Amino acid sequence: MKLKKFAKLLAAFAVGMMMLVLPGCGEQSSESESLQPLVAELPENAKNEEGIVLDVSDGQFILRSIGGTEYVFRMRGAEDLTPEGTKPGQMVRAWYDGVLSGTNAANVKLLRIEPIEEAVRDMLSEDCVAQGIVTSVDEQALAIRTKDGTEHTFAAAESLRSIPDGAKPGQWVRIVFDGTPEMPVVKAVTLLAQEAESYIMTGALRNFDEAKKTLEIQADAGGVYEFSYENAEMTFPNGMKKWSRVDLVYTGHAQPKGAENNSAVLISAQPESKAKPRQIAVTVQNVTKNRGNLDVVTPDGRALKFYVDAKLTSGKNALAEGDVICIYYTGSIAAEQTGSARIVSVERLGLDNKRLFGTVKSMGTAELELQTNDGRTLTLKMPEGEMLPQTLKRGDDVCIRYTGVIVHDDAQNAQIKSISYFYE
């Protein structure tokens, strides 16, 4: 028995020695160790489209091809070679079997999604903003018309779901995206009436012209203002009536009737009795502890004073200078008068909510002069040691995110955080 075991061990030893001696046996080259699992071979008739991924949801993705056509591909069964899975904003090559008919990809089989190298993007094309009136909308996309009459279409399935009742034709929306309006990757869609840069005017409806679609309001803050309501969301179930109390939401710079440089755009109008609690995003300028006195600044530079619950101005979670907050209130704020406003609640916001919209009037290497949409001229600087983007030029319409506080036309305590293109 011992001899048999010894014979088996001797035979195993001999085989091992032969594997070490014979070339290609018993060892693997470093090249073979680094081999990865083989990618499935594509059929000879496979075709591909290259472009940017606009949206990924419900087992499908929207690809805007380099030629500008948008396709909705079903991803089930497809081989995804992107490093962390297909995501909006990626440049990819989509391989498929079948024939694309127009923009219809329902009858083709998606075989593979593979990443392709993307050209370096202009830094001003990150977090761009477009706003306009919705002209059409479905589950996958919405089309808007900006103030200058330009039409844009955005694939925004996921972002549209964040609007409680969905966007509807006739509403004004703001869209935040990366890229260009021709090849955008949508990050957020919000109703413009709910944005910090939208303003409220209350007063008496002095006059209206249904043929010209204009209305005049005797504002509580003083003065008569005229607005076009051709593209506004009007909610008057019983029709408009002269000298009735109305509630208007607008953007831009409202000037009294007959004045120049009136850039205001009416977003919505309704009877004051139908108005829900209003909201205004502001930056805290000063806090008087234990007394509940709060000094804030609006995005258009107005200095407002509020009396709030003392819990908000003292203690560990007290508001502090520089905080960005949203104040929900009933009543009205007329210019810088807050006496008739009653605070319902206060919510902290992120610092990215501090934004300016306007046109670059002049610029140096580290500072620029901005003609804002609300009628101010501001000088804004980059943080020490940083330069303005090289692609920025005079005349560009931009969205500027900033830190610090701007009061009226004084921006000396503010610094530019980022700059992106603005389309309106």
Side-chain angles (χ1 to χ4, degrees):
M1 179 68 74
K2 288 182 179 180
L3 288 173
K4 286 183 179 180
K5 285 184 178 180
F6 179 76
K8 286 181 179 180
L9 288 171
L10 186 62
F13 176 78
V15 170
M17 291 300 293
M18 289 176 65
M19 291 179 70
L20 289 172
V21 173
L22 291 175
C25 296
E27 64 179 6
Q28 291 183 334
S29 68
S30 60
E31 183 179 354
S32 63
E33 287 177 359
S34 64
L35 285 177
Q36 300 294 323
L38 292 174
V39 175
E41 206 171 301
L42 292 167
E44 290 185 5
N45 59 347
K47 307 176 186 68
N48 70 75
E49 285 285 346
E50 294 182 355
I52 190 168
V53 178
L54 300 182
D55 192 75
V56 181
S57 61
D58 301 328
Q60 57 190 19
F61 78 98
I62 301 175
L63 177 78
R64 177 168 287 176
S65 70
I66 292 174
T69 306
E70 291 180 12
Y71 301 102
V72 181
F73 287 98
R74 293 190 179 93
M75 301 174 70
R76 185 176 181 180
E79 190 177 20
D80 192 345
L81 300 183
T82 57
E84 298 178 0
T86 302
K87 298 177 181 178
Q90 292 175 324
M91 291 294 294
V92 300
R93 182 180 295 110
W95 290 92
Y96 63 93
D97 188 16
V99 178
L100 290 172
S101 176
T103 61
N104 185 8
N107 297 321
V108 304
K109 179 177 176 54
L110 185 65
L111 303 171
R112 178 185 298 167
I113 307 167
E114 58 187 30
I116 58 178
E117 288 189 9
E118 183 180 1
V120 177
R121 179 178 288 170
D122 179 358
M123 65 181 296
L124 292 175
S125 295
E126 296 181 5
D127 293 322
C128 294
V129 177
Q131 60 189 37
I133 188 169
V134 177
T135 55
S136 65
V137 62
D138 58 30
E139 292 181 355
Q140 298 293 340
L142 81 161
I144 66 169
R145 183 174 63 250
T146 57
K147 190 170 68 174
D148 65 4
T150 306
E151 300 271 354
H152 299 294
T153 301
F154 296 87
E158 284 297 315
S159 298
L160 285 171
R161 292 171 189 166
S162 65
I163 299 176
D165 298 321
K168 302 177 180 64
Q171 289 182 318
W172 283 79
V173 295
R174 174 174 291 169
I175 301 166
V176 179
F177 64 95
D178 289 343
T180 66
E182 292 71 38
M183 294 190 76
V185 178
V186 174
K187 302 170 82 170
V189 179
T190 53
L191 298 178
L192 192 54
Q194 298 173 357
E195 288 293 334
E197 297 79 20
S198 298
Y199 308 113
I200 295 169
M201 183 181 292
T202 57
L205 184 60
R206 189 169 181 265
N207 202 1
F208 60 91
D209 188 325
E210 292 183 338
K212 294 181 179 179
K213 294 190 179 300
T214 59
L215 61 83
E216 293 179 8
I217 178 175
Q218 180 72 50
D220 291 343
V224 175
Y225 294 81
E226 184 178 53
F227 294 89
S228 167
Y229 64 84
E230 183 175 5
N231 294 318
E233 186 178 4
M234 306 293 285
T235 310
F236 291 91
N238 301 318
M240 290 187 286
K241 297 178 182 179
K242 287 185 178 180
W243 300 112
S244 61
R245 297 282 302 173
V246 293
D247 180 276
L248 310 182
V249 180
Y250 67 94
T251 61
H253 183 42
Q255 291 273 52
K257 184 179 178 181
E260 296 180 358
N261 302 321
N262 185 3
S263 63
V265 175
L266 186 64
I267 298 172
S268 65
Q270 62 183 339
E272 188 180 28
S273 60
K274 300 290 184 182
K276 298 178 181 179
R278 301 163 173 87
Q279 63 186 56
I280 185 169
V282 294
T283 302
V284 176
Q285 186 182 19
N286 186 48
V287 177
T288 305
K289 293 184 178 181
N290 302 319
R291 294 180 57 186
N293 292 336
L294 192 65
D295 296 333
V296 300
V297 180
T298 66
D300 61 347
R302 288 177 291 155
L304 306 180
K305 291 181 179 294
F306 289 98
Y307 181 78
V308 298
D309 190 319
K311 293 178 182 178
L312 292 172
T313 60
S314 59
K316 187 167 60 175
N317 297 317
L319 295 174
E321 181 181 343
D323 282 352
V324 182
I325 61 174
C326 183
I327 296 177
Y328 296 86
Y329 66 97
T330 57
S332 63
I333 297 173
E336 296 187 347
Q337 305 301 314
T338 61
S340 63
R342 185 178 68 83
I343 293 180
V344 177
S345 63
V346 175
E347 175 189 354
R348 276 187 169 88
L349 301 175
L351 293 178
D352 284 345
N353 286 71
K354 299 169 72 169
R355 296 170 295 200
L356 290 166
F357 297 92
T359 304
V360 178
K361 194 174 178 182
S362 63
M363 55 183 290
T365 56
E367 73 174 46
L368 59 80
E369 193 175 54
L370 185 75
Q371 185 68 52
T372 68
N373 280 9
D374 54 43
R376 293 173 291 165
T377 300
L378 302 175
T379 299
L380 296 159
K381 298 180 180 180
M382 295 290 290
E384 188 175 352
E386 295 187 25
M387 311 291 281
L388 290 169
Q390 292 183 352
T391 50
L392 184 68
K393 60 185 183 297
R394 189 174 64 179
D396 280 346
D397 293 326
V398 294
C399 167
I400 295 180
R401 293 166 178 83
Y402 66 95
T403 58
V405 179
I406 299 173
V407 182
H408 301 300
D409 295 332
D410 183 2
Q412 64 178 348
N413 294 321
Q415 286 187 332
I416 296 171
K417 183 179 181 183
S418 67
I419 307 175
S420 57
Y421 292 120
F422 176 52
Y423 304 86
E424 70 160 349

